[in-house]
Amino acid sequence: MHLQNVSFAEQAAGLRRRLVQLKWLLPGMVLQMTAAGLLLPILPGFAADQLGLSQPQYSLMLILGGAGAMLFLVPMGKLADRWGHKQMLFVGFVSLTVVLALLVVSMPPPALTMLFAFMLGLSYSAVLPAWNAVLSYLVPEDQKGTGWGVLSGIEGLGIMIGPVIGGGIASQYTNAAAISISAALLAVLALFYLILPQNKLVSAGGTLQHKRENAHGPDRVS
């Protein structure tokens, strides 16, 4: 396979063009990672103090959440390709919002908490394949390593900010307040993707249909 040498200036120009395309996705990239990061410092304390989970029960809750995501990633990915990535992002963020809100409002017993954990994982499985598919359209074919590095760096901002905000809210108020803020951010994201036009999420030249047409030629219209 022949690899084309691309100068640094050409790489920088290509990435700059991609970042301009990315401007409609930047809020989502930072906010969703911030919402997840909010939970990192407070989740163990919330599980023990508010939900009354023992350490083995907390471990089981994490396992069930991971299982809910793992089991449904492929089916949700297929559904996103068929139904649309924008729609799946909206559904996934709404589901995450609802389950987190129920967790805070109801303070469920351990058995129901395990069900909620599984549902959180399932909801996340609706978001992840659709989100990765959208980002993949913005990565230049000849700069995949650099492109994904830039995108991961932007997402990393949210992971850095989230725990700081979550810890501050929990210390000033309560762990439940931090989870409520996380749910509110997810609700904002759901609304954002609901009203965001399709061509702002994925450009006309970055759709699966367009790639198929380039590979096989456009369908003829009789």
Side-chain angles (χ1 to χ4, degrees):
M1 182 177 63
H2 176 68
L3 296 177
Q4 182 180 5
N5 292 323
V6 181
S7 69
F8 176 78
E10 291 173 325
Q11 290 185 28
L15 286 173
R16 187 164 51 248
R17 288 192 297 271
R18 296 290 177 169
L19 287 174
V20 170
Q21 288 180 281
L22 198 64
K23 63 184 178 181
W24 294 106
L25 297 181
L26 283 174
M29 294 179 72
V30 177
L31 276 184
Q32 66 182 324
M33 292 299 131
T34 301
L38 275 165
L39 303 177
L40 293 178
I42 58 91
L43 194 56
F46 178 78
D49 300 335
Q50 276 74 45
L51 300 179
L53 298 183
S54 64
Q55 186 59 47
Q57 287 174 325
Y58 177 69
S59 299
L60 178 60
M61 182 187 76
L62 296 180
I63 291 172
L64 288 173
M70 183 186 67
L71 291 174
F72 288 92
L73 278 173
V74 173
M76 289 295 183
K78 291 182 177 180
L79 185 59
D81 288 337
R82 183 178 306 168
W83 190 25
H85 303 129
K86 178 180 179 325
Q87 290 80 357
M88 286 300 292
L89 287 173
F90 171 70
V91 169
F93 283 120
V94 166
S95 300
L96 287 169
T97 301
V98 170
V99 177
L100 276 182
L102 287 173
L103 196 62
V104 172
V105 172
S106 65
M107 297 295 180
L112 191 54
T113 297
M114 301 306 166
L115 176 61
F116 282 170
F118 186 82
M119 291 171 62
L120 279 172
L122 194 159
S123 301
Y124 181 66
S125 74
V127 170
L128 187 60
W131 179 247
N132 285 340
V134 169
L135 292 186
S136 71
Y137 300 139
L138 299 173
V139 178
E141 289 293 330
D142 55 347
Q143 301 174 46
K144 288 189 177 296
T146 306
W148 280 112
V150 170
L151 297 177
S152 299
I154 295 172
E155 289 184 326
L157 291 174
I159 292 295
M160 292 171 58
I161 295 170
V164 175
I165 298 175
I169 293 172
S171 62
Q172 188 72 24
Y173 301 100
T174 63
N175 290 332
I179 295 181
S180 298
I181 297 296
S182 178
L185 290 178
L186 294 170
V188 169
L189 282 170
L191 180 61
F192 174 76
Y193 288 116
L194 176 65
I195 65 178
L196 184 68
Q198 175 69 25
N199 63 348
K200 299 298 184 183
L201 184 64
V202 178
S203 65
T207 62
L208 291 176
Q209 181 61 36
H210 180 82
K211 291 182 178 181
R212 292 192 189 103
E213 289 180 355
N214 283 345
H216 304 295
D219 294 335
R220 293 184 179 180
V221 179
S222 56

